[in-house]
Amino acid sequence: MALNTITPQVLAYKPPHPKLEEFVPARDRALFADPTKAALLAEASAIEEVTPYIGTELKGIQLSKLTDAQKDELALLVAERGVVFLRDQDITLDQQHQLASYYGKQDRDPHQENPNHVTIIGRDGNIRQHDHFGGEFHADHSFEVNPPSYTLLRMVKTPPSGGDTVFTSLSALFDKLSPRFQKALEGLHARHSADRSYLSSLNGGGHPLRAPIATAHPLIRTHPVTGLKILAYNPTFIDRIQELNGQESSHILAFLREHLLNADDLGVRWKWTPGAVAFWDNRSVVHKALPGGYDVTLREGKRTAIFGERPFFDPDKSESLSQRTERLNAGKKDTATHVSSEPELNN
Ligand code: SIN
Protein backbone atom coordinates (compact mmCIF):
# COMPACT_ATOMS: atom_id res chain seq x y z
CA MET A 1 0.00 0.00 0.00
CA ALA A 2 1.20 3.49 -0.83
CA LEU A 3 1.96 5.32 2.41
CA ASN A 4 0.00 8.42 1.37
CA THR A 5 -3.28 6.50 0.94
CA ILE A 6 -6.44 7.55 2.79
CA THR A 7 -7.34 4.36 4.66
CA PRO A 8 -10.19 3.66 7.14
CA GLN A 9 -7.59 4.01 9.95
CA VAL A 10 -6.66 7.45 8.66
CA LEU A 11 -10.31 8.51 8.59
CA ALA A 12 -10.98 7.11 12.06
CA TYR A 13 -7.90 8.67 13.70
CA LYS A 14 -8.46 11.59 16.07
CA PRO A 15 -5.26 13.55 16.80
CA PRO A 16 -5.03 14.26 20.54
CA HIS A 17 -3.84 17.90 20.38
CA PRO A 18 -5.59 20.98 19.01
CA LYS A 19 -4.20 23.11 16.18
CA LEU A 20 -1.47 25.57 17.18
CA GLU A 21 -2.44 29.22 17.39
CA GLU A 22 -0.25 31.93 15.90
CA PHE A 23 1.82 33.89 18.42
CA VAL A 24 4.51 36.56 18.41
CA PRO A 25 7.74 35.10 19.82
CA ALA A 26 10.11 36.97 22.12
CA ARG A 27 12.78 39.09 20.44
CA ASP A 28 15.39 36.93 18.70
CA ARG A 29 18.37 36.49 21.05
CA ALA A 30 20.79 37.14 18.17
CA LEU A 31 19.58 40.76 18.21
CA PHE A 32 21.05 41.14 21.72
CA ALA A 33 24.50 39.93 20.65
CA ASP A 34 27.70 41.94 20.40
CA PRO A 35 28.16 42.00 16.58
CA THR A 36 31.88 41.17 16.96
CA LYS A 37 31.00 38.03 18.98
CA ALA A 38 34.08 38.74 21.05
CA ALA A 39 33.05 36.72 24.12
CA LEU A 40 32.23 33.57 22.14
CA LEU A 41 35.14 33.67 19.71
CA ALA A 42 37.70 34.40 22.44
CA GLU A 43 36.75 31.08 24.01
CA ALA A 44 37.28 29.03 20.81
CA SER A 45 40.59 27.32 20.11
CA ALA A 46 39.77 27.38 16.37
CA ILE A 47 37.03 28.83 14.15
CA GLU A 48 36.79 27.20 10.72
CA GLU A 49 34.54 28.25 7.86
CA VAL A 50 33.69 24.85 6.47
CA THR A 51 32.57 26.28 3.10
CA PRO A 52 32.41 29.89 1.87
CA TYR A 53 28.60 30.12 1.91
CA ILE A 54 27.55 28.01 4.86
CA GLY A 55 28.82 26.32 8.01
CA THR A 56 31.32 27.28 10.71
CA GLU A 57 32.94 24.77 13.02
CA LEU A 58 33.82 26.03 16.49
CA LYS A 59 36.49 24.11 18.34
CA GLY A 60 37.29 24.17 22.06
CA ILE A 61 33.81 25.31 23.15
CA GLN A 62 31.38 23.42 25.38
CA LEU A 63 27.72 24.44 24.95
CA SER A 64 27.16 23.44 28.58
CA LYS A 65 29.44 26.27 29.79
CA LEU A 66 28.28 29.25 27.72
CA THR A 67 27.41 32.52 29.40
CA ASP A 68 24.23 34.31 28.30
CA ALA A 69 26.30 36.78 26.24
CA GLN A 70 28.02 33.85 24.49
CA LYS A 71 24.64 32.18 23.82
CA ASP A 72 23.41 35.36 22.13
CA GLU A 73 26.59 35.54 20.04
CA LEU A 74 26.20 31.89 19.08
CA ALA A 75 22.67 32.61 17.83
CA LEU A 76 24.07 35.47 15.74
CA LEU A 77 26.74 33.20 14.29
CA VAL A 78 24.09 30.60 13.44
CA ALA A 79 21.93 33.28 11.78
CA GLU A 80 24.90 34.54 9.76
CA ARG A 81 26.49 31.22 8.79
CA GLY A 82 23.32 29.05 8.56
CA VAL A 83 24.77 26.24 10.66
CA VAL A 84 27.40 25.99 13.38
CA PHE A 85 29.07 22.65 14.13
CA LEU A 86 30.73 21.53 17.36
CA ARG A 87 32.17 18.15 18.32
CA ASP A 88 32.67 16.24 21.60
CA GLN A 89 29.98 18.08 23.53
CA ASP A 90 29.39 17.10 27.17
CA ILE A 91 25.93 18.74 27.38
CA THR A 92 23.26 16.55 29.01
CA LEU A 93 19.72 16.25 27.66
CA ASP A 94 18.36 18.45 30.49
CA GLN A 95 20.99 21.10 29.74
CA GLN A 96 20.06 20.89 26.05
CA HIS A 97 16.40 21.57 26.98
CA GLN A 98 17.49 24.54 29.08
CA LEU A 99 19.62 25.90 26.25
CA ALA A 100 16.65 25.64 23.86
CA SER A 101 14.41 27.44 26.38
CA TYR A 102 16.96 30.25 26.65
CA TYR A 103 16.37 31.03 22.98
CA GLY A 104 12.56 30.95 23.08
CA LYS A 105 9.43 28.83 23.38
CA GLN A 106 10.21 25.20 22.73
CA ASP A 107 8.81 23.92 19.48
CA ARG A 108 6.88 20.66 19.28
CA ASP A 109 6.95 18.73 16.02
CA PRO A 110 3.55 17.07 15.31
CA HIS A 111 5.32 13.69 15.59
CA GLN A 112 7.29 14.50 18.74
CA GLU A 113 6.55 12.20 21.71
CA ASN A 114 8.63 13.96 24.36
CA PRO A 115 7.44 17.60 24.75
CA ASN A 116 11.04 18.86 24.81
CA HIS A 117 12.88 16.98 22.10
CA VAL A 118 12.61 14.69 19.10
CA THR A 119 14.65 11.51 19.13
CA ILE A 120 16.23 11.28 15.71
CA ILE A 121 17.10 7.80 14.50
CA GLY A 122 18.81 6.23 11.53
CA ARG A 123 17.05 6.23 8.20
CA ASP A 124 16.83 3.25 5.94
CA GLY A 125 15.77 2.71 2.38
CA ASN A 126 16.34 4.29 -0.95
CA ILE A 127 15.34 7.89 -1.55
CA ARG A 128 14.48 7.02 -5.16
CA GLN A 129 11.53 4.81 -4.11
CA HIS A 130 7.91 5.99 -4.13
CA ASP A 131 6.76 7.33 -0.77
CA HIS A 132 10.24 7.52 0.69
CA PHE A 133 9.54 10.32 3.13
CA GLY A 134 12.19 12.39 4.85
CA GLY A 135 15.11 11.73 2.48
CA GLU A 136 14.41 14.95 0.56
CA PHE A 137 15.72 18.39 1.46
CA HIS A 138 13.47 20.17 3.94
CA ALA A 139 13.21 22.80 6.61
CA ASP A 140 11.49 21.20 9.61
CA HIS A 141 7.65 21.40 9.70
CA SER A 142 7.47 24.63 7.70
CA PHE A 143 3.69 24.16 7.40
CA GLU A 144 3.29 25.61 10.91
CA VAL A 145 2.17 29.21 11.24
CA ASN A 146 5.26 29.74 13.42
CA PRO A 147 7.82 27.31 11.96
CA PRO A 148 10.96 26.60 14.00
CA SER A 149 13.86 29.06 13.93
CA TYR A 150 16.90 27.79 15.86
CA THR A 151 17.27 24.01 15.81
CA LEU A 152 19.95 21.98 17.52
CA LEU A 153 20.70 18.32 16.82
CA ARG A 154 23.15 16.45 19.05
CA MET A 155 24.17 12.96 18.10
CA VAL A 156 24.40 10.44 20.90
CA LYS A 157 25.62 7.57 18.72
CA THR A 158 26.61 7.35 15.09
CA PRO A 159 27.59 4.60 12.64
CA PRO A 160 31.24 4.51 11.54
CA SER A 161 30.12 5.65 8.10
CA GLY A 162 26.79 6.78 6.67
CA GLY A 163 24.01 8.96 8.08
CA ASP A 164 25.67 12.27 7.17
CA THR A 165 23.50 15.39 6.97
CA VAL A 166 23.66 17.92 4.15
CA PHE A 167 22.74 21.59 4.74
CA THR A 168 22.18 24.18 1.98
CA SER A 169 21.94 27.95 2.34
CA LEU A 170 18.66 29.46 1.14
CA SER A 171 20.01 33.01 1.20
CA ALA A 172 22.80 31.93 -1.18
CA LEU A 173 20.25 30.03 -3.27
CA PHE A 174 18.22 33.24 -3.65
CA ASP A 175 21.36 35.19 -4.50
CA LYS A 176 22.29 32.85 -7.37
CA LEU A 177 19.03 33.53 -9.22
CA SER A 178 19.22 36.25 -11.86
CA PRO A 179 17.92 39.64 -10.61
CA ARG A 180 15.01 39.42 -13.09
CA PHE A 181 13.97 36.05 -11.75
CA GLN A 182 14.42 37.17 -8.15
CA LYS A 183 11.98 40.03 -8.80
CA ALA A 184 9.48 37.64 -10.41
CA LEU A 185 9.44 35.44 -7.30
CA GLU A 186 9.25 38.24 -4.74
CA GLY A 187 5.71 38.68 -3.41
CA LEU A 188 4.60 35.10 -4.25
CA HIS A 189 3.38 32.69 -1.57
CA ALA A 190 3.99 28.96 -1.33
CA ARG A 191 1.55 26.58 0.30
CA HIS A 192 3.30 24.32 2.83
CA SER A 193 1.19 21.25 3.55
CA ALA A 194 1.46 18.63 6.30
CA ASP A 195 -0.77 16.15 4.42
CA ARG A 196 1.94 13.80 3.14
CA SER A 197 3.84 13.63 6.41
CA TYR A 198 0.58 13.03 8.31
CA LEU A 199 -0.49 10.16 6.03
CA SER A 200 2.97 8.68 5.89
CA SER A 201 3.22 8.74 9.69
CA LEU A 202 -0.25 7.27 10.32
CA ASN A 203 0.09 4.52 7.71
CA GLY A 204 3.57 3.72 9.04
CA GLY A 205 2.21 3.12 12.56
CA GLY A 206 2.77 6.65 13.97
CA HIS A 207 0.33 8.73 16.03
CA PRO A 208 0.60 12.36 14.91
CA LEU A 209 -0.31 14.81 17.66
CA ARG A 210 -2.16 17.33 15.49
CA ALA A 211 -4.38 17.22 12.41
CA PRO A 212 -2.57 18.20 9.20
CA ILE A 213 -2.65 21.84 8.20
CA ALA A 214 -1.54 23.87 5.18
CA THR A 215 -0.16 27.40 5.51
CA ALA A 216 0.84 29.91 2.84
CA HIS A 217 4.18 31.62 3.52
CA PRO A 218 6.14 34.13 1.40
CA LEU A 219 8.29 32.31 -1.15
CA ILE A 220 10.94 34.96 -0.62
CA ARG A 221 11.21 35.87 3.05
CA THR A 222 13.25 38.34 5.05
CA HIS A 223 15.58 37.07 7.74
CA PRO A 224 14.73 39.04 10.90
CA VAL A 225 18.35 39.13 12.10
CA THR A 226 20.52 39.39 8.98
CA GLY A 227 17.98 41.21 6.78
CA LEU A 228 18.90 38.86 3.94
CA LYS A 229 16.40 37.66 1.36
CA ILE A 230 15.81 33.93 1.58
CA LEU A 231 14.41 31.62 -1.07
CA ALA A 232 12.05 29.78 1.27
CA TYR A 233 11.77 26.72 -0.95
CA ASN A 234 11.02 23.42 0.77
CA PRO A 235 10.48 20.45 -1.57
CA THR A 236 9.13 18.21 1.20
CA PHE A 237 6.20 20.41 2.18
CA ILE A 238 5.45 22.96 -0.56
CA ASP A 239 2.82 21.71 -2.98
CA ARG A 240 1.94 24.86 -4.91
CA ILE A 241 2.59 28.52 -5.46
CA GLN A 242 -0.65 30.24 -4.66
CA GLU A 243 -0.67 33.11 -7.15
CA LEU A 244 0.23 30.97 -10.20
CA ASN A 245 -1.86 28.68 -12.39
CA GLY A 246 -1.37 24.93 -11.90
CA GLN A 247 1.10 24.31 -14.74
CA GLU A 248 3.03 27.49 -13.99
CA SER A 249 3.31 26.49 -10.35
CA SER A 250 4.50 22.92 -11.07
CA HIS A 251 7.15 24.10 -13.53
CA ILE A 252 8.48 26.79 -11.22
CA LEU A 253 8.61 24.27 -8.35
CA ALA A 254 10.41 21.76 -10.60
CA PHE A 255 12.92 24.47 -11.54
CA LEU A 256 13.46 25.40 -7.87
CA ARG A 257 14.11 21.75 -7.03
CA GLU A 258 16.70 21.54 -9.79
CA HIS A 259 18.23 24.82 -8.59
CA LEU A 260 18.52 23.37 -5.06
CA LEU A 261 19.81 19.95 -6.13
CA ASN A 262 22.51 21.60 -8.27
CA ALA A 263 23.71 23.81 -5.44
CA ASP A 264 26.71 21.78 -4.24
CA ASP A 265 28.63 25.05 -3.99
CA LEU A 266 26.09 26.45 -1.50
CA GLY A 267 25.92 23.45 0.81
CA VAL A 268 27.92 21.55 3.39
CA ARG A 269 27.96 17.84 4.22
CA TRP A 270 28.48 17.08 7.90
CA LYS A 271 29.89 13.79 9.07
CA TRP A 272 28.67 13.02 12.57
CA THR A 273 30.64 11.62 15.50
CA PRO A 274 29.19 10.82 18.95
CA GLY A 275 28.70 14.08 20.87
CA ALA A 276 28.75 16.21 17.72
CA VAL A 277 26.21 19.02 17.35
CA ALA A 278 24.76 20.92 14.41
CA PHE A 279 22.97 24.12 15.41
CA TRP A 280 21.14 25.52 12.41
CA ASP A 281 18.76 28.27 11.38
CA ASN A 282 15.66 26.52 10.09
CA ARG A 283 14.57 29.79 8.42
CA SER A 284 17.54 30.11 6.09
CA VAL A 285 18.77 26.54 5.63
CA VAL A 286 17.34 23.29 4.28
CA HIS A 287 18.82 19.96 5.26
CA LYS A 288 18.56 16.27 4.51
CA ALA A 289 19.82 13.22 6.35
CA LEU A 290 21.34 10.80 3.86
CA PRO A 291 19.60 7.46 4.34
CA GLY A 292 20.63 3.88 3.70
CA GLY A 293 23.82 1.83 3.54
CA TYR A 294 24.41 1.60 7.31
CA ASP A 295 23.00 -0.09 10.40
CA VAL A 296 20.20 2.30 11.42
CA THR A 297 20.29 1.15 15.06
CA LEU A 298 23.72 2.80 15.34
CA ARG A 299 22.39 6.32 14.75
CA GLU A 300 20.55 8.28 17.44
CA GLY A 301 20.32 11.98 18.18
CA LYS A 302 18.28 14.49 20.19
CA ARG A 303 16.80 17.48 18.40
CA THR A 304 15.51 20.58 20.16
CA ALA A 305 14.03 23.62 18.47
CA ILE A 306 12.15 26.78 19.23
CA PHE A 307 9.17 28.34 17.48
CA GLY A 308 10.16 31.22 15.20
CA GLU A 309 8.27 34.26 13.95
CA ARG A 310 5.59 33.97 11.30
CA PRO A 311 7.61 34.25 8.04
CA PHE A 312 7.37 37.69 6.45
CA PHE A 313 8.76 39.57 3.47
CA ASP A 314 9.76 43.20 3.81
CA PRO A 315 11.19 44.34 0.45
CA ASP A 316 12.28 47.69 1.91
CA LYS A 317 14.28 46.16 4.73
CA SER A 318 15.93 43.24 2.98
CA GLU A 319 18.68 42.68 0.46
CA SER A 320 20.38 39.82 -1.36
CA LEU A 321 23.82 38.55 -0.38
CA SER A 322 25.38 40.28 -3.42
CA GLN A 323 23.67 43.56 -2.61
CA ARG A 324 24.98 43.33 0.93
CA THR A 325 28.52 42.60 -0.25
CA GLU A 326 28.37 45.56 -2.67
CA ARG A 327 27.02 47.85 0.06
CA LEU A 328 29.73 46.80 2.52
CA ASN A 329 32.48 47.13 -0.10
CA ALA A 330 31.22 50.60 -1.04
CA GLY A 331 31.32 51.51 2.67
CA LYS A 332 34.93 50.29 2.89
CA LYS A 333 35.89 52.31 -0.21
CA ASP A 334 34.30 55.45 1.28
CA THR A 335 36.24 54.91 4.50
CA ALA A 336 39.49 54.32 2.58
CA THR A 337 38.93 57.49 0.53
CA HIS A 338 38.17 59.41 3.68
CA VAL A 339 41.27 58.10 5.48
CA SER A 340 43.63 58.68 2.53
CA SER A 341 42.29 62.21 2.01
CA GLU A 342 42.98 63.16 5.62
CA PRO A 343 46.75 63.86 5.25
CA GLU A 344 45.95 66.18 2.32
CA LEU A 345 43.43 68.04 4.41
CA ASN A 346 45.94 68.32 7.23
CA ASN A 347 48.74 69.56 5.00
C1 SIN B 1 15.99 16.34 10.76
O1 SIN B 1 15.47 16.20 9.66
O2 SIN B 1 15.72 17.31 11.47
C2 SIN B 1 17.02 15.36 11.23
C3 SIN B 1 18.29 15.48 10.48
C4 SIN B 1 19.15 14.27 10.62
O3 SIN B 1 18.66 13.18 10.95
O4 SIN B 1 20.35 14.38 10.36
Side-chain angles (χ1 to χ4, degrees):
M1 180 194 67
L3 276 180
N4 58 6
T5 307
I6 298 183
T7 56
Q9 292 94 299
V10 168
L11 292 173
Y13 183 72
K14 298 266 175 287
H17 291 189
K19 152 177 186 286
L20 296 177
E21 296 301 329
E22 180 181 351
F23 79 106
V24 179
R27 195 169 152 79
D28 194 307
R29 290 306 313 177
L31 295 168
F32 295 87
D34 164 7
T36 68
K37 306 176 207 76
L40 178 71
L41 301 184
E43 195 84 20
S45 58
I47 305 147
E48 285 174 12
E49 289 204 349
V50 191
T51 76
Y53 288 100
I54 181 171
T56 292
E57 183 172 351
L58 287 181
K59 297 193 175 156
I61 286 191
Q62 285 296 339
L63 291 171
S64 60
K65 311 231 161 23
L66 294 181
T67 62
D68 287 355
Q70 289 171 325
K71 288 177 199 162
D72 294 345
E73 292 171 18
L74 179 60
L76 181 58
L77 187 63
V78 171
E80 288 176 351
R81 295 290 299 154
V83 53
V84 171
F85 302 113
L86 305 106
R87 291 199 190 271
D88 303 320
Q89 293 299 299
D90 63 10
I91 193 168
T92 63
L93 186 54
D94 278 348
Q95 288 172 323
Q96 186 178 341
H97 295 158
Q98 283 161 22
L99 183 64
S101 305
Y102 176 81
Y103 289 113
K105 185 173 164 197
Q106 275 195 258
D107 164 85
R108 190 159 186 185
D109 186 303
H111 310 288
Q112 178 172 334
E113 284 168 25
N114 185 297
N116 295 320
H117 66 264
V118 180
T119 296
I120 297 291
I121 49 171
R123 287 159 198 253
D124 213 346
N126 180 346
I127 47 180
R128 295 153 200 88
Q129 280 165 345
H130 285 293
D131 295 331
H132 187 284
F133 195 82
E136 173 68 287
F137 273 110
H138 61 279
D140 293 325
H141 40 294
S142 62
F143 45 79
E144 309 287 12
V145 180
N146 290 91
S149 52
Y150 297 106
T151 304
L152 190 152
L153 175 57
R154 174 177 58 95
M155 280 301 170
V156 179
K157 55 181 184 173
T158 58
S161 77
D164 301 354
T165 307
V166 182
F167 299 86
T168 298
S169 163
L170 296 176
S171 42
L173 207 62
F174 175 79
D175 193 53
K176 298 299 176 199
L177 295 170
S178 63
R180 271 293 177 92
F181 203 70
Q182 290 175 349
K183 277 277 161 260
L185 299 187
E186 287 181 14
L188 297 178
H189 294 82
R191 186 175 76 168
H192 298 240
S193 163
D195 290 356
R196 275 194 331 127
S197 68
Y198 182 82
L199 292 175
S200 159
S201 165
L202 262 183
N203 289 327
H207 300 91
L209 298 175
R210 304 187 287 274
I213 58 164
T215 310
H217 291 307
L219 182 58
I220 309 303
R221 72 186 276 196
T222 302
H223 194 286
V225 175
T226 63
L228 286 175
K229 289 181 185 174
I230 296 164
L231 173 56
Y233 171 60
N234 187 340
T236 298
F237 298 120
I238 292 179
D239 63 6
R240 67 173 59 177
I241 298 176
Q242 301 271 76
E243 293 84 355
L244 303 183
N245 289 334
Q247 289 296 318
E248 295 164 353
S249 169
S250 16
H251 283 268
I252 295 290
L253 291 178
F255 161 72
L256 292 179
R257 184 159 188 273
E258 187 182 341
H259 184 48
L260 170 61
L261 297 187
N262 278 333
D264 291 338
D265 53 339
L266 313 178
V268 59
R269 178 170 173 161
W270 177 243
K271 176 162 176 48
W272 295 99
T273 42
V277 160
F279 189 2
W280 71 88
D281 192 323
N282 195 60
R283 300 168 288 197
S284 60
V285 160
V286 279
H287 61 278
K288 68 173 163 184
L290 301 178
Y294 64 94
D295 176 353
V296 291
T297 64
L298 297 181
R299 188 178 196 265
E300 184 183 320
K302 302 290 178 189
R303 191 184 80 197
T304 42
I306 60 158
F307 288 109
E309 73 285 351
R310 185 180 188 132
F312 65 95
F313 178 52
D314 183 345
D316 299 327
K317 291 209 181 105
S318 47
E319 59 189 353
S320 67
L321 262 177
S322 298
Q323 286 169 332
R324 186 174 69 176
T325 308
E326 266 170 45
R327 183 171 56 76
L328 295 178
N329 285 345
K332 274 188 212 146
K333 253 189 240 152
D334 287 351
T335 317
T337 314
H338 181 68
V339 169
S340 66
S341 66
E342 265 179 7
E344 282 176 38
L345 289 173
N346 290 340
N347 285 339

